[in-house]
Amino acid sequence: MKNNSMDYMDRVHRTGRISMIIIVILLLMVPILLCMQSGVWPQGDWILSGMLAVGMIYLPIGVIEVLNYSPLIGSGGTYLAFITGNISNMKLPCAVNALEVTKTNVNTREGEVISTISIAVSTIVTTVIVGVGVLLILPFKDFMITTLAPISEYILPSIFGALGVVFISKSWKLSIVPLLLMTLLFIFVIRDDSIRAVFVPVASLVSIVCARLMYKKQWV
């Protein structure tokens, strides 16, 4: 049984790495083909300045997201989710809900399989629904923009709120310090939306340290 589990994980990592390499190449080919077609290429200093401005925020976030999401969705789910995107508002809630319904843990072989299947199904369903939805709402696009646009900013907070209730209800004591800290930061410190993502590592580190201390003190 152990050998079969290792063989499965070996295949997951091998397939995931190959898929990630292919996706990165395909993504890079889009701007390269556009430059080849137009005959216009960006200058090196433009690329460097753009990468520095964006990379200072999103490179650390990319690393932190892998560390944050991987324990929740497993290895196979991590590869698939980061290839297809929409992790926080689609793939992560779907995987967590599937694990909750089946009463399995992600750090087991069954949990790995369930998480990967749920994310794969979510990807397929999302692609089909988005495609059909785009075709159906084209005649009503003006109505959608003027009437429903104000609602869109509440969709992601509502998803995270529902997801937060699931985790907080499991061990509410662990959430007290991180919740209070981030609430105070958002009220008194974080004024600009562009820097909100920078505080993701801060919240993660505080949560880990507090959880470790509370477990040592046997408060949870």
Side-chain angles (χ1 to χ4, degrees):
M1 186 69 70
K2 186 175 181 180
N3 290 333
N4 292 335
S5 178
M6 291 302 296
D7 290 341
Y8 169 76
M9 293 307 301
D10 289 341
R11 292 197 298 271
V12 166
H13 287 295
R14 183 171 60 252
T15 305
R17 290 165 184 163
I18 294 173
S19 301
M20 294 292 282
I21 293 172
I22 294 174
I23 291 298
V24 170
I25 293 174
L26 291 176
L27 290 174
L28 292 176
M29 287 303 297
V30 174
I32 291 174
L33 291 175
L34 290 174
C35 292
M36 293 175 61
Q37 181 68 24
S38 62
V40 178
W41 294 84
Q43 298 180 10
D45 55 343
W46 295 356
I47 298 176
L48 182 60
S49 61
M51 286 294 296
L52 288 176
V54 177
M56 289 181 65
I57 295 178
Y58 286 101
L59 285 178
I61 291 174
V63 175
I64 291 297
E65 283 188 346
V66 174
L67 297 178
N68 282 348
Y69 294 151
S70 296
L72 300 175
I73 59 180
S75 299
T78 299
Y79 287 116
L80 188 55
F82 276 87
I83 288 176
T84 56
N86 286 334
I87 303 174
S88 60
N89 61 342
M90 186 64 66
K91 305 305 190 308
L92 178 60
C94 183
V96 171
N97 185 64
L99 292 169
E100 287 285 335
V101 170
T102 57
K103 294 181 173 60
T104 54
N105 296 320
V106 71
N107 57 348
T108 62
R109 185 177 61 177
E110 294 80 5
E112 283 278 348
V113 174
I114 290 172
S115 176
T116 304
I117 292 175
S118 65
I119 292 175
V121 173
S122 171
T123 302
I124 296 171
V125 172
T126 302
T127 304
V128 173
I129 290 180
V130 168
V132 174
V134 169
L135 295 176
L136 292 178
I137 67 173
L138 282 177
F140 309 100
K141 63 179 180 178
D142 294 333
F143 169 78
M144 299 286 289
I145 293 174
T146 57
T147 306
L148 300 181
I151 304 175
S152 61
E153 62 181 281
Y154 299 103
I155 295 176
L156 192 59
S158 65
I159 293 175
F160 271 101
L163 190 61
V165 170
V166 174
F167 287 102
I168 293 173
S169 62
K170 291 182 178 180
S171 185
W172 60 271
K173 293 180 181 179
L174 294 177
S175 66
I176 295 176
V177 174
L179 187 60
L180 287 176
L181 173 65
M182 296 310 297
T183 301
L184 293 174
L185 286 176
F186 272 97
I187 293 175
F188 299 106
V189 178
I190 305 175
R191 303 291 185 180
D192 188 358
D193 289 344
S194 63
I195 66 170
R196 290 186 178 186
V198 178
F199 286 88
V200 173
V202 176
S204 301
L205 182 61
V206 170
S207 300
I208 293 171
V209 172
C210 290
R212 181 63 177 171
L213 292 175
M214 294 178 74
Y215 275 113
K216 281 187 173 182
K217 297 290 185 179
Q218 296 183 348
W219 292 347
V220 290

